[in-house]
Amino acid sequence: MMPPDTPFITRQQGVLHVEDLALPEVARAFGTPCHVYSHAALGANLRDFQAALDAHPVGAGGLVCYAVKANSNLAILNLFARMGAGFDIVSGGELARVLAAGGDAGKVVFSGVGKSHAEIHAALMADILCFNVESAAELERIDEIAGTLGKRAPISLRVNPDVDPMTHPYIATGLSTAKFGVPIDAALPLYERAARLPHVHVRGVDCHIGSQILDPAPFMEALERLIVLLDALEKRGITVEHLDLGGGLGIAYRQGERAPEISACLLPLFDRLRDRKLKVILEPGRRLVGQAGLLLTRVEYLKPGSTGNFAIVDAAMNDLLRPALYGAWHEIVAVAPKAGRPKVIYDVVGPICESGDFLGQKRALAIDPGDLLAILSTGAYGMAMSSNYNTRPRAMEILVQGNRAHAIRRREKAADLYALECLPPLASTPAPPAAPVDGMDKPIASQ
Ligand SMILES: *Cc1c(COP(=O)(O)O)cnc(C)c1O
């Protein structure tokens, strides 16, 4: 049982491999749990987007800006940067990561509804490609900060086209009820305002309608609405150089689910833009990294319950939050299946003290304690949404290339988790002296 679209994750003599490396080797060398990624899959996914843009150069070409939040490991950012990608960031922290990974600030677009003063300042100093502005107040703030720096900030408005991407409500962002973007009816007056501001430079139009979208129709619907806006802007003498169509293209998480081909989804959109001299920016996240990764975990205990059986594994909701947060489905497979053994139905759960701590429910598996399981399609929003809940050190990250494994994030130790904490000086009981931590050593008098 494997979902489609995972040509770099295969079985060889029954044993699950990432590229040419058997997963039991990874577990032996690095322990579990760990997030394992295929270098070749990451590269192939980016190339698919770039090839679609190259095949249909829309006037001024295009740029793939990887949505960093899907998986922000430096090694992955570095790979994409070397392949010519830009980046879509949503925080100053992500800007710092992109720069640390060797990314080009001139290919960075900055999205997000709550850009702080410091984040805008940092992005202006780095000379990013474009701010995707999400409100009138943000536009004024960017103009003001750019003014103090003697710069002109490149901007797009993130337009909310009010289309339903038919995805999970938590990841639908283009509905009129969402906090994201500027309603498309309000965009024109705001563009006119932007065109008059002295320290911003109108560069483009931006939209992002949601995530895990498996039906291409909402993308076209959004584009039709954006074209109405583009025409209206042109009539008012406001020229834009690029159209940013956002990300959101989904992947098949579940056996039998089908994700549209990248080119099949994009080419009709580019075709609709054929006679416009617009550079196209895309912001894929999940589709670049999701199927390139899996979470490798070991069965700790098998435990019968009153209504079913539990397989308790060493990964948990802190390593992969999506099942607990959205009820998301990930395929779970035995790394080395046991032939001829009857399968038993398990809820695959972690050690965390929450009943919501499950990775999969009602899964048929033939397993024993100590066996390895792979939770598939976890490259996107897996490690990126991880936490240290229950003081669980985060899983290691491994990048596989051919038959070699590179550790791209070491396993956290418990001491890493409390390294930034310190004791107040007023403890009356003897306590080890605590070194002051930057920014935490100022006494605040209580009232
Ligand atoms: C999250 C996000 C993306 C990427 O979404 P995916 O579904 O991972 O492709 C792109 N653009 C913006 C503004 C986002 O917030």
Side-chain angles (χ1 to χ4, degrees):
M1 237 199 2
M2 297 284 289
D5 313 323
T6 55
F8 300 99
I9 299 172
T10 57
R11 289 203 183 277
Q12 298 178 24
Q13 280 96 49
V15 176
L16 199 63
H17 283 58
V18 171
E19 300 191 19
D20 297 323
L21 191 59
L23 285 169
E25 301 285 333
V26 175
R28 211 170 0 256
F30 301 106
T32 54
C34 52
H35 291 277
V36 187
Y37 311 114
S38 157
H39 186 276
L42 294 165
N45 292 341
L46 177 57
R47 267 194 306 278
D48 276 355
F49 276 95
Q50 291 175 329
L53 282 170
D54 288 349
H56 284 247
V58 190
L63 181 66
V64 180
C65 289
Y66 167 58
V68 172
K69 73 174 190 283
N71 187 325
S72 54
N73 186 288
L74 292 191
I76 292 175
L77 301 183
N78 176 261
L79 167 65
F80 288 161
R82 280 187 286 111
M83 292 177 66
F87 298 94
D88 170 49
I89 61 167
V90 292
S91 71
E94 288 187 351
L95 176 60
R97 273 187 181 276
V98 166
L99 299 178
D104 178 354
K107 293 181 179 175
V108 167
V109 296
F110 190 175
S111 307
V113 293
K115 300 178 192 76
S116 71
H117 192 288
E119 287 174 327
I120 292 167
H121 188 277
L124 283 166
M125 293 306 290
D127 287 321
I128 65 165
L129 175 62
C130 199
F131 289 88
N132 291 335
V133 175
E134 305 221 11
S135 64
E138 183 193 328
L139 180 66
E140 303 291 336
R141 181 183 274 186
I142 290 174
D143 179 65
E144 184 203 316
I145 299 169
T148 65
L149 295 174
K151 288 178 176 267
R152 276 187 91 179
I155 65 113
S156 292
L157 294 187
R158 175 166 175 186
V159 172
N160 188 333
D162 194 20
V163 299
D164 188 349
M166 293 174 287
T167 184
H168 190 283
Y170 287 11
I171 50 177
T173 56
L175 285 165
S176 60
T177 49
K179 69 176 176 180
F180 300 100
V182 176
I184 193 153
D185 304 324
L188 200 51
L190 200 54
Y191 267 108
E192 290 179 318
R193 169 84 184 131
R196 287 193 304 270
L197 287 172
H199 306 296
V200 305
H201 187 162
V202 173
R203 280 290 164 76
V205 171
D206 168 50
C207 104
H208 170 70
I209 58 173
S211 197
Q212 184 51 16
I213 300 170
L214 293 175
D215 173 3
F219 290 109
M220 187 55 93
E221 204 183 321
L223 179 59
E224 293 299 343
R225 295 185 189 185
L226 294 173
I227 283 174
V228 174
L229 174 63
L230 288 168
D231 288 341
L233 288 173
E234 203 175 298
K235 232 177 246 148
R236 280 162 184 74
I238 299 172
T239 48
V240 300
E241 295 146 38
H242 73 245
L243 179 62
D244 183 337
L245 293 173
L249 194 54
I251 60 175
Y253 280 104
R254 196 167 181 157
Q255 195 74 20
E257 208 169 33
R258 293 269 306 148
E261 295 282 326
I262 289 167
S263 59
C265 193
L266 294 178
L267 297 188
L269 303 177
F270 298 164
D271 216 42
R272 188 69 185 82
L273 291 165
R274 197 204 310 262
D275 40 356
R276 287 164 202 267
K277 199 155 178 53
L278 276 178
K279 178 172 164 175
V280 171
I281 294 176
L282 302 170
E283 303 172 351
R286 187 188 314 269
R287 188 62 185 253
L288 287 181
V289 295
Q291 299 291 32
L294 57 79
L295 176 57
L296 183 63
T297 183
R298 198 179 285 283
V299 178
E300 295 277 13
Y301 300 102
L302 297 178
K303 179 175 178 176
S306 58
T307 57
N309 300 297
F310 295 105
I312 301 169
V313 300
D314 63 5
M317 65 186 282
N318 75 299
D319 300 303
L320 179 67
L321 184 60
R322 299 185 71 259
L325 184 63
Y326 314 120
W329 178 281
H330 288 265
E331 296 291 349
I332 301 178
V333 298
V335 167
K338 300 181 162 74
R341 270 266 298 273
K343 289 183 173 172
V344 176
I345 305 294
Y346 293 101
D347 281 0
V348 179
V349 303
I352 284 181
C353 305
E354 299 272 345
S355 293
D357 178 25
F358 62 86
L359 300 166
Q361 291 173 308
K362 306 279 171 288
R363 304 306 177 90
L365 295 162
I367 45 175
D368 295 305
D371 284 358
L372 292 170
L373 294 177
I375 303 167
L376 303 180
S377 316
T378 56
Y381 307 106
M383 186 63 176
M385 293 177 93
S386 66
S387 77
N388 293 119
Y389 190 35
N390 281 208
T391 305
R392 285 173 51 85
R394 253 176 274 245
M396 209 167 166
E397 290 179 289
I398 312 290
L399 183 62
V400 173
Q401 198 173 9
N403 61 3
R404 284 175 303 150
H406 309 284
I408 58 171
R409 191 176 201 274
R410 73 161 167 82
R411 192 176 300 286
E412 286 175 342
K413 301 184 177 82
D416 293 328
L417 275 48
Y418 50 77
L420 301 183
E421 298 167 29
C422 61
L423 303 172
L426 41 86
S428 58
T429 47
V437 171
D438 261 3
M440 285 179 68
D441 53 354
K442 286 201 188 69
I444 301 166
S446 64
Q447 301 297 314

